[in-house]
Amino acid sequence: MSKVYFASLRLTGGECIADKLKRLIRAAGIGKIDFRQKFVAVKVHFGEEGNLAFLRADYARAVIEVIRSLGGKPFVTDANTMYVGSRRNALDHLDTAYRHGYNPLSLAGCHAIIADGLKGTDDVLVPIDGEFVKTAKIARAIMDADVLVSLTHFKGHEGTGFGGTLKNIGMGSGSARGKAEMHESEKPAADRELCTACGICRDNCAHQAIGIEDFAHVNYDRCVGCGRCIGVCPTKAMRPIAENGCEMLARKVAEYTYAVCRGRPSFHVSLIVDVSPFCDCYGVSDAPVIPDVGMLASFDPVALDKACADLANRQHAIADSYLGEKTPSGDHFRTMHPDTNWEAGIEQAEKVGLGSAKYELIDIG
């Protein structure tokens, strides 16, 4: 079984959260990696403008300080998005990152790099011959790094059930055409019975692919399948055309994660805090749906995601939240997003040899 290390958010003896995070990743074995003079991509999510659920940069600084103490040359990084927002190109993306604390001043001199260039076109073709992905399109700066360290905010997600380590690495490292490939199965159509022609989907489409008449119409020549319209629709009228679209998304994300991690050292950290129902890519963040749980670290991204899902599902739903308003099913993520199948991503990641869903949870106290 893979080892997953856990630290609660309780503090004793004057230790602060940042120091406890450092102790966690050291206990999990990050020091086994040879960082000496190696370029280290610290894959994070800088947070969308208007969203307050993303991880504070203080967590990244703690990880960076450990990497530097081991001789590494870290940079924080993410790739551009495909939808309306503050991270569609490298200039706006960097502005957002800096405002959210991911800047050299806050990170003790560590720089932020937008991994796929100005417009999301700077990528590397990575052949993997997977079941769903034959050649992954990965952001160049991430592929150029010698070592990958992921730092993930664990939360709900409208397409993959939850956004964990696999999502952070797989989708987050894809270039514009890589993201389009993963989202292809999520191209939507409006349910005429539910659609009120409110225009929210049209206003949130970055590709002018939606028109409004009596109901929303999708121009599939323009649509890239990013799923933003599905997430923002207030009546849930926008749904993927493919019956198993969300499952295919989760499986492709797993194969993209394999493409990023294969053949080089990687280490993964995930924080179950401020667990919002939707991705940090949204310009808003709803109230947390469960109490904060803690911090986890592992060399195995699959075991890490499974452990996070298990721990999250053991928590009670916060009554006045998106989850608390719904009828419990025993699986918080399916309760919030019934069309999703997060287990498919875990299964696919195991199938390609990325890791194991069987784990031993080790509490460092």
Side-chain angles (χ1 to χ4, degrees):
M1 292 191 294
S2 295
K3 288 181 169 60
V4 177
Y5 289 76
F6 171 80
S8 75
L9 300 174
R10 297 299 305 274
L11 301 174
T12 58
E15 184 181 46
C16 69
I17 286 291
D19 286 342
K20 193 166 189 178
L21 176 56
K22 292 179 184 179
R23 181 159 63 88
L24 170 71
I25 63 178
R26 287 187 182 279
I30 192 171
K32 296 176 183 177
I33 297 174
D34 179 9
F35 284 104
R36 291 170 298 179
Q37 293 301 304
K38 301 291 198 308
F39 291 111
V40 184
V42 181
K43 176 61 184 72
V44 297
H45 191 304
F46 295 130
E48 188 63 47
E49 187 72 16
N51 188 300
L52 297 178
F54 63 92
L55 291 182
R56 293 185 182 96
D58 304 72
Y59 295 115
R61 177 169 178 155
V63 173
I64 287 162
E65 287 176 349
V66 172
I67 293 169
R68 280 186 169 157
S69 74
L70 296 169
K73 299 168 71 68
F75 61 95
V76 289
T77 190
D78 198 6
N80 292 309
T81 64
M82 295 195 303
Y83 42 76
V84 170
S86 63
R87 298 180 301 121
R88 282 200 68 199
N89 63 74
L91 299 184
D92 293 342
H93 203 157
L94 279 174
D95 284 345
T96 302
Y98 285 2
R99 282 195 297 272
H100 289 169
Y102 290 93
N103 59 67
L105 182 62
S106 298
L107 299 179
C110 181
H111 292 282
I113 295 176
I114 305 308
D116 56 347
L118 183 63
K119 297 181 179 180
T121 57
D122 189 12
D123 58 16
V124 176
L125 300 181
V126 183
I128 60 169
D129 197 26
E131 184 177 354
F132 301 97
V133 177
K134 301 305 177 184
T135 302
K137 293 83 177 171
I138 308 298
R140 183 174 298 276
I142 289 174
M143 289 309 298
D144 281 349
D146 303 303
V147 181
L148 174 76
V149 174
S150 67
L151 176 61
T152 299
H153 173 223
F154 188 85
K155 66 277 181 188
H157 193 278
E158 62 286 352
T160 53
F162 63 72
T165 299
L166 298 180
K167 182 71 165 52
N168 179 25
I169 300 172
M171 183 62 72
S173 299
S175 65
R177 56 180 178 163
K179 287 181 171 68
E181 178 178 31
M182 285 180 275
H183 278 300
E184 179 68 26
S185 58
E186 276 203 310
K187 289 194 174 184
D191 184 325
R192 299 187 186 191
E193 298 298 320
L194 296 176
C195 181
T196 62
C198 67
I200 292 175
C201 58
R202 174 197 60 204
D203 297 341
N204 276 271
C205 180
H207 306 278
Q208 294 78 53
I210 299 177
I212 303 294
E213 295 178 10
D214 296 333
F215 60 93
H217 298 264
V218 180
N219 180 339
Y220 296 110
D221 291 333
R222 290 179 173 270
C223 177
V224 298
C226 71
R228 175 52 65 96
C229 59
I230 297 173
V232 300
C233 179
T235 64
K236 304 303 179 187
M238 296 298 278
R239 307 287 289 275
I241 298 172
E243 186 176 340
N244 62 345
C246 289
E247 177 181 331
M248 291 301 100
L249 172 64
R251 293 185 185 277
K252 289 178 181 179
V253 166
E255 294 192 355
Y256 260 72
T257 306
Y258 172 72
V260 175
C261 294
R262 184 185 63 174
R264 61 175 162 176
S266 63
F267 184 84
H268 312 286
V269 184
S270 190
L271 277 67
I272 313 176
V273 298
D274 295 323
V275 181
S276 50
F278 298 101
C279 182
D280 292 344
C281 294
Y282 283 90
V284 296
S285 49
D286 206 337
V289 296
I290 60 172
D292 289 349
V293 177
M295 308 179 287
L296 297 92
S298 180
F299 283 100
D300 185 337
V302 186
L304 184 57
D305 264 2
K306 184 61 165 60
C308 287
D310 290 344
L311 287 170
N313 276 327
R314 290 174 195 158
Q315 307 303 309
H316 68 267
I318 294 176
D320 187 19
S321 74
Y322 186 83
L323 173 62
E325 295 170 349
K326 301 181 181 300
T327 303
S329 68
D331 183 333
H332 292 333
F333 308 106
R334 278 215 180 87
T335 297
M336 291 189 290
H337 308 296
D339 292 332
T340 65
N341 181 6
W342 62 266
E343 291 167 316
I346 299 289
E347 177 184 284
Q348 195 65 25
E350 280 194 299
K351 186 181 292 187
V352 299
L354 184 58
S356 171
K358 295 179 180 179
Y359 63 90
E360 175 189 2
L361 191 66
I362 302 168
D363 192 334
I364 69 163

